[in-house]
Amino acid sequence: MESVIPKSANRLISLDVMRGLIMILLAGESCLVYENLHAMHLGGAADGFINQFFHDPWHGLHFWDCVQPAFMLMAGAAMYISYNSKRAKGITWQQNFKHIALRSVKLFLLGTGLHCVYAGKLVFELWNVLTQLSFTTIIAYLIINRSFWFQLSFSIGLLVITDALYRNILMPGFDQPYTEFHNFGAYMDTLLMGKINTDGWVAINIIPTAAHTIWGVLAGKLLISKEPANKKILYLVIAGVVGLALGFGLDIANITPIIKRISTSSFALASGGWVLLLLAFLYWLIDIKQVNKYAWICIVVGVNSIFIYLFFETAGAQWFNNAIGIFVKGFLGYTGLQANLIAVFSALVTLFAEWYLCYFLSKHKVFIKI
């Protein structure tokens, strides 16, 4: 299946696999795989496991809370690797900035456009992952040539600023730093959009989550460096463990709670730690140990990541899911199986159909870049 994978001298299969894995997980959400599994109420450990595929209601950290940080970190790593390749061809920072700026504008428009699709009318909302990424990409690129310590210090500074804003800017009705709907982030949303998000998300998450994109830049720089592979893995593991220790330490010590929906500093550190450990594992397994026989399953999705995300958030959610469900649920309805089980099977068939679309595009070398 190598023919479906784009070739590049600097390409790391582990990064492509991780990006593709993230997109498959997001597609599973769009196809209602997790929602239908949850509706079956299997009980015990099974329900606990399925619950990990949903965001924590407020204070806590589920597996699903690490998906967006992974998305942001992979974007940063890919951006650095692409920039490094262009720089080797004589393209300057200023010349490449035009491409980065244009891409960020596209991401912003697509992200705000998706909110209109969700609402079924024209709205101005800034909570979508693509909208957030449009800002974090610019922030990370502006310091992409600075030293490791500068970038690391800058990213930590963003987390400190976030904490300071929540703790010190207390407005009437929004004077409870870490309480849903009553925090500084929600207040800023009333200024930016005249509304607050019913699920507690806030637009100023672009500040702390920019740290994830910056850490992605640093990870990308490390992975294509001339350092020995064992040192690369060691550095990633150390960074991951430190992130976990700091993030959960702040939470356990009741200094800053881990809250995904407002991306507290403790959340950014803890989720970033998990993502870096996953990256270290995939790099060791796929690029070092060469256990990559089936890597193409994820890669065919990763190479068209933004396109497939837009597809399953628009046509997929509004038409594709139901269209496939008509046939799958219709035929399986004659078998006497439980409705919940049929719904799960229909969701899995839809997920496979979306994956096959990516495979078809990749096989025919159709790489749709935003």
Side-chain angles (χ1 to χ4, degrees):
M1 293 297 176
E2 291 184 357
S3 61
V4 304
I5 302 172
K7 301 293 192 299
S8 173
N10 285 329
R11 204 163 197 99
L12 290 166
I13 299 178
S14 56
L15 286 174
D16 287 329
V17 168
M18 187 168 176
R19 180 165 50 191
L21 180 60
I22 292 166
M23 299 315 301
I24 290 173
L25 289 170
L26 287 170
E29 178 188 42
S30 176
C31 296
L32 306 180
V33 172
Y34 319 130
E35 184 175 320
N36 286 314
L37 282 170
H38 188 265
M40 292 186 69
H41 301 295
L42 299 174
D47 274 349
F49 175 77
I50 295 169
N51 198 43
Q52 289 297 313
F53 290 85
F54 295 86
H55 289 298
D56 190 280
W58 187 247
H59 179 196
L61 185 67
H62 286 181
F63 163 78
W64 199 247
D65 296 321
C66 294
V67 171
Q68 182 177 345
F71 191 95
M72 296 290 190
L73 193 141
M74 287 297 95
M79 179 171 67
Y80 180 81
I81 293 172
S82 174
Y83 170 63
N84 184 68
S85 177
K86 291 178 180 179
R87 187 170 53 180
K89 298 175 183 177
I91 298 175
T92 66
W93 182 93
Q94 290 82 359
Q95 291 171 326
N96 193 53
F97 180 72
K98 296 177 183 178
H99 164 74
I100 295 295
L102 179 59
R103 186 172 190 270
S104 293
V105 170
K106 291 179 181 178
L107 289 172
F108 180 83
L109 293 175
L110 289 170
T112 52
L114 277 178
H115 278 298
C116 296
V117 173
Y118 300 153
K121 61 182 179 179
L122 290 178
V123 296
F124 180 65
E125 297 175 356
L126 303 172
W127 301 302
N128 187 276
V129 62
L130 298 183
T131 308
Q132 300 270 311
L133 183 60
S134 70
F135 286 98
T136 68
T137 296
I138 291 290
I139 293 170
Y141 188 76
L142 289 174
I143 62 171
I144 200 169
N145 281 332
R146 302 301 293 265
S147 69
F148 166 82
W149 290 112
F150 180 91
Q151 292 183 71
L152 181 61
S153 299
F154 188 90
S155 67
I156 297 301
L158 293 176
L159 303 186
V160 172
I161 288 171
T162 302
D163 264 10
L165 290 173
Y166 276 91
R167 295 176 189 275
N168 297 300
I169 302 183
L170 308 175
M171 306 301 293
F174 301 95
D175 54 359
Q176 301 175 55
Y178 302 117
T179 300
E180 192 172 16
F181 311 129
H182 298 286
N183 52 68
F184 174 71
Y187 169 71
M188 283 300 299
D189 284 350
T190 65
L191 299 182
L192 293 168
M193 296 168 280
K195 66 184 81 172
I196 60 176
N197 187 280
T198 55
D199 291 320
W201 305 107
V202 298
I204 65 164
N205 281 350
I206 61 172
I207 299 175
T209 201
H212 291 133
T213 308
I214 295 170
W215 296 341
V217 167
L218 294 175
K221 186 176 183 178
L222 171 66
L223 289 173
I224 65 171
S225 72
K226 295 182 179 179
E227 291 282 355
N230 61 335
K231 280 194 174 182
K232 294 178 183 180
I233 295 170
L234 177 63
Y235 293 153
L236 288 173
V237 169
I238 290 174
V241 170
V242 169
L244 289 174
L246 290 175
F248 282 103
L250 287 169
D251 184 77
I252 293 171
N254 292 318
I255 297 173
T256 304
I258 291 177
I259 304 173
K260 153 69 177 172
R261 294 171 193 266
I262 58 173
S263 198
T264 57
S265 58
S266 53
F267 165 77
L269 289 163
S271 60
W274 282 123
V275 173
L276 288 169
L277 289 178
L278 174 60
L279 178 58
F281 172 73
L282 290 176
Y283 176 70
W284 169 80
L285 181 70
I286 296 171
D287 288 313
I288 305 306
K289 293 299 182 181
Q290 298 290 302
V291 182
N292 53 28
K293 182 178 180 181
Y294 299 104
W296 61 274
I297 295 175
C298 292
I299 293 175
V300 296
V301 179
V303 295
N304 278 301
S305 57
I306 301 299
F307 165 75
I308 192 61
Y309 179 77
L310 291 170
F311 177 82
F312 60 61
E313 286 293 303
T314 54
Q318 295 198 341
W319 172 77
F320 202 63
N321 294 1
N322 290 333
I324 290 181
I326 290 172
F327 298 97
V328 176
K329 294 177 182 179
F331 284 113
L332 288 182
Y334 294 111
T335 65
L337 292 173
Q338 291 183 351
N340 285 342
L341 184 58
I342 292 175
V344 170
F345 190 78
S346 178
L348 290 172
V349 171
T350 306
L351 176 59
F352 174 79
E354 291 188 354
W355 173 86
Y356 188 80
L357 171 63
C358 293
Y359 168 72
F360 179 84
L361 292 173
S362 299
K363 184 177 181 180
H364 292 83
K365 296 181 171 54
V366 180
F367 306 118
I368 304 170
K369 298 296 183 182
I370 303 298

